[in-house]
Amino acid sequence: MARRIADALRDIAVLVASAAPPEDVFAEISAQAARVCGVSAAAVVRFTEPGAEVAGRWGDVDAFPAGTAFPLGAGGALTLVRDTGLPARFDEYERTDVDMHGLREGAATPVVVEGEVWGALILAAFGGERLPSDAEERLTEFAQLASLALASADARERLLESRERLVRTADAERKRLERNLHDGAQQRLVAARLALRMVRNQLDAPELDAISDELGLALEELRELARGLHPAALSRGLYAAVGALATRSPVPVEYDVVEGRLPEAVEIAAYYVIAESITNAVKHANATSIRVTVTAGDELALSVADDGIGGASFEGSGLVGLRDRVEALRGRLRVSSPPGAGTTISAELPL
């Protein structure tokens, strides 16, 4: 038993040290708990205000996948753990009025994070399976030793949620500023330039042309600033926005981009990755061609490849901010840039 727990904790520690996504850590803890306790299914469950949510699970049964939220009624092992803060076992799920997808028995032990009962680690027996008589004792011993990994995964989960909220809030504020600039300052500059041209024609005063040109430059700079805050082209979708980037690029850009609308936060993140990658290729890579590819399935996958000199990295580049934005949405950003062989920047974003 002690050897099995030690091996399980080692595997979990390796996963935590690799900065794996919290959902992967919760799933691995569930798998190791099931193996240590000799059962076919286990889960990490987080208590919420109305009930509970499956944070991670392991087992052949498709019931209760990660993310499943459910209320806690008057009975059940989870309810007992929540109410008492103690390990519990419940052997009468078949007699409840709720469809439990064949769940027959459950044993659960509390997961304590920062002195509070955060949730529970639960073992489950479906169909003809029975839990070992000492299931609660085995599970409690394992949970106590795995608590640091659980706390670490929870802290990372909260950090990612916080970063995601910050990204969404910042994008909303940028969108508001872009709209205010377009409807306010830009329109006033356009009106002022038109009025100046009318005065110039009425007075036949060519000396006013220089002032009109300065107003035109100021208007264009303001438009560029607004595009940087929130790209207006995204109002027509990522395909149109990438097309606009390709049109403005001095280096030829070929693109194969999925059409149709995507979640706003994903569209914005994908756009900034593509825009920054094209800018870097134009400014630093001595590239003669750029290719952009975007596909969508369970996740959005994009790549921007150039035929330049290579040697790019995250250090000292705008890619650091892009990586933070992508990771805040639970995505991944990678750079492949061997010297002399071009650069490929790729990202995956969950949909």
Side-chain angles (χ1 to χ4, degrees):
M1 178 69 175
R3 177 60 183 272
R4 278 187 293 174
I5 290 179
D7 291 343
L9 294 176
R10 181 198 60 217
D11 293 344
I12 294 169
V14 169
L15 197 62
V16 171
S18 69
E23 56 269 24
D24 291 351
V25 176
F26 292 137
E28 180 65 17
I29 290 172
S30 301
Q32 296 295 348
R35 294 184 185 118
V36 165
C37 298
V39 299
S40 62
V44 174
V45 175
R46 178 193 296 112
F47 291 146
T48 61
E49 190 61 35
E53 178 184 6
V54 178
R57 62 174 292 277
W58 181 84
D60 295 332
V61 180
D62 292 333
F64 310 111
T68 301
F70 51 91
L72 293 180
L78 289 175
T79 302
L80 294 171
V81 169
R82 182 198 60 184
D83 293 344
T84 66
L86 299 172
R89 182 177 183 131
F90 193 74
D91 300 333
E92 299 181 353
Y93 285 105
E94 292 175 321
R95 300 183 183 181
T96 64
D97 296 331
V98 181
D99 180 12
M100 300 301 289
H101 304 279
L103 177 62
R104 182 173 183 176
E105 297 177 348
T109 195
V111 172
V112 178
V113 174
E114 297 179 358
E116 300 290 335
V117 177
W118 172 88
L121 189 55
I122 183 169
L123 304 176
F126 290 85
E129 184 183 13
R130 302 300 300 266
L131 294 179
S133 58
D134 61 346
E136 299 101 306
E137 290 80 2
R138 292 192 201 180
L139 185 62
T140 298
E141 181 181 357
F142 175 80
Q144 289 172 345
L145 295 172
S147 60
L148 183 60
L150 283 161
S152 176
D154 175 63
R156 181 166 171 76
E157 176 81 7
R158 285 185 290 171
L159 175 62
L160 289 173
E161 289 174 351
S162 175
R163 290 170 66 183
E164 185 174 357
R165 284 194 299 271
L166 288 173
V167 165
R168 293 182 186 278
T169 299
D171 286 341
E173 183 63 14
R174 289 192 187 95
K175 190 173 184 179
R176 185 187 68 82
L177 289 172
E178 186 273 334
R179 185 171 58 249
N180 288 345
L181 285 174
H182 180 272
D183 296 341
Q186 286 188 55
Q187 297 305 318
R188 290 192 184 95
L189 281 175
V190 169
R193 195 180 187 201
L194 289 174
L196 185 64
R197 284 178 177 174
M198 292 177 61
V199 171
R200 184 257 186 231
N201 293 333
Q202 289 173 356
L203 299 180
D204 191 20
E207 62 269 20
L208 295 179
D209 288 343
I211 300 175
S212 177
D213 291 342
E214 285 297 317
L215 282 174
L217 290 174
L219 180 60
E220 186 56 35
E221 288 177 1
L222 196 60
R223 284 172 176 159
E224 284 294 326
L225 175 61
R227 277 196 291 266
L229 286 171
H230 184 85
L234 274 178
S235 63
R236 294 180 287 124
L238 186 61
Y239 180 87
V242 173
L245 290 173
T247 300
R248 295 201 302 267
S249 172
V251 176
V253 176
E254 295 182 5
Y255 59 96
D256 181 9
V257 177
V258 62
E259 299 189 48
R261 299 313 302 262
L262 300 162
E264 184 179 30
V266 172
E267 278 191 339
I268 294 172
Y271 175 86
Y272 281 127
V273 170
I274 294 167
E276 180 70 17
S277 300
I278 291 175
T279 298
N280 286 346
V282 170
K283 288 185 177 180
H284 308 300
N286 295 331
T288 61
S289 67
I290 302 169
R291 178 160 183 80
V292 178
T293 304
V294 181
T295 60
D298 292 336
E299 62 182 9
L300 184 81
L302 71 86
S303 68
V304 182
D306 66 59
D307 62 352
I309 59 176
S313 70
F314 283 109
E315 300 300 324
S317 74
L319 295 177
V320 174
L322 293 179
R323 180 172 60 186
D324 290 344
R325 172 183 282 275
V326 168
E327 290 180 352
L329 298 178
R330 316 297 178 96
R332 300 172 299 280
L333 182 73
R334 293 186 294 273
V335 176
S336 175
S337 189
T343 297
T344 299
I345 296 172
S346 58
E348 293 84 37
L349 290 157
L351 292 175

